[in-house]
Amino acid sequence: MDILELETTEQKDELLAYLPNVDWGAARALEKTLKTDTIKEKLGKDARIFYVKDGARVMGFFTLVNRDYIPLEDYDRFIAMLWVDPAYRGRGLSRVFIDYAEKQSGVDTMHILTQHKGLYEKMGYRLIREFTDSIHDKDYLYEKSLG
């Protein structure tokens, strides 16, 4: 398994070839962001995109961003758009991706904005806020001290 940071045109093309196969709104947003070269504008000045491969096959992707899908001025640095391909689920890859993102972040506090309750607590995150007026029925903001 190789975790790659998106840095080259070839990598961008590889991820763009994969994203249309992902049935998830965040994948559509990432695809549009990549196609329009608006990564820093949409995701923040420190945004980084990673994708994970098993040989030639993409296993998933995730991002480190300054802002996520709900504008939250008081928070910076989110692990976002975390996707594990269905063929690779059930192997603990979400935890691997989260651990890697935390180590790459260079910050003391990390956030995750998600619709999933119960997953990130197992990884040391604590729920700090709930939203009922966003684009989903319910969203949760998690935080973890990395320092």
Side-chain angles (χ1 to χ4, degrees):
M1 176 177 72
D2 297 310
I3 299 177
L4 307 166
E5 183 168 0
L6 189 69
E7 296 177 316
T8 69
T9 301
E10 291 79 19
Q11 290 173 321
K12 179 180 170 183
D13 291 344
E14 185 171 43
L15 189 54
L16 280 170
Y18 175 76
L19 288 171
N21 302 312
V22 176
D23 185 22
W24 182 40
R28 299 290 73 72
L30 182 57
E31 181 180 13
K32 182 178 178 182
T33 299
L34 289 173
K35 283 182 176 179
T36 58
D37 288 319
T38 55
I39 294 167
K40 303 296 184 194
E41 294 85 354
K42 294 195 177 185
L43 304 176
K45 64 181 177 53
D46 303 306
R48 298 168 67 190
I49 299 169
F50 299 88
Y51 68 110
V52 185
K53 292 180 65 178
D54 178 20
R57 186 158 181 208
V58 175
M59 302 170 71
F61 56 87
F62 58 94
T63 62
L64 283 171
V65 299
N66 297 98
R67 57 184 167 269
D68 207 343
Y69 61 92
I70 298 175
L72 300 169
E73 296 298 321
D74 295 335
Y75 301 96
D76 188 12
R77 292 308 196 299
F78 295 84
I79 297 171
M81 299 181 187
L82 189 144
W83 171 264
V84 176
D85 190 274
Y88 293 95
R89 291 185 184 160
R91 301 179 190 188
L93 290 176
S94 289
R95 184 179 298 272
V96 171
F97 294 3
I98 294 287
D99 288 346
Y100 188 86
E102 290 172 353
K103 289 175 184 155
Q104 291 294 311
S105 72
V107 298
D108 294 329
T109 305
M110 183 59 65
H111 299 92
I112 297 176
L113 188 58
T114 182
Q115 291 177 265
H116 302 287
K117 191 171 186 179
L119 174 63
Y120 299 105
E121 291 92 339
K122 298 173 189 174
M123 298 178 207
Y125 285 81
R126 66 181 179 86
L127 179 64
I128 60 171
R129 195 163 165 196
E130 292 186 25
F131 302 88
T132 56
D133 56 352
S134 70
I135 63 174
H136 307 111
D137 290 338
K138 273 203 170 180
D139 290 287
Y140 307 96
L141 178 63
Y142 287 92
E143 183 175 83
K144 180 178 180 181
S145 174
L146 303 179

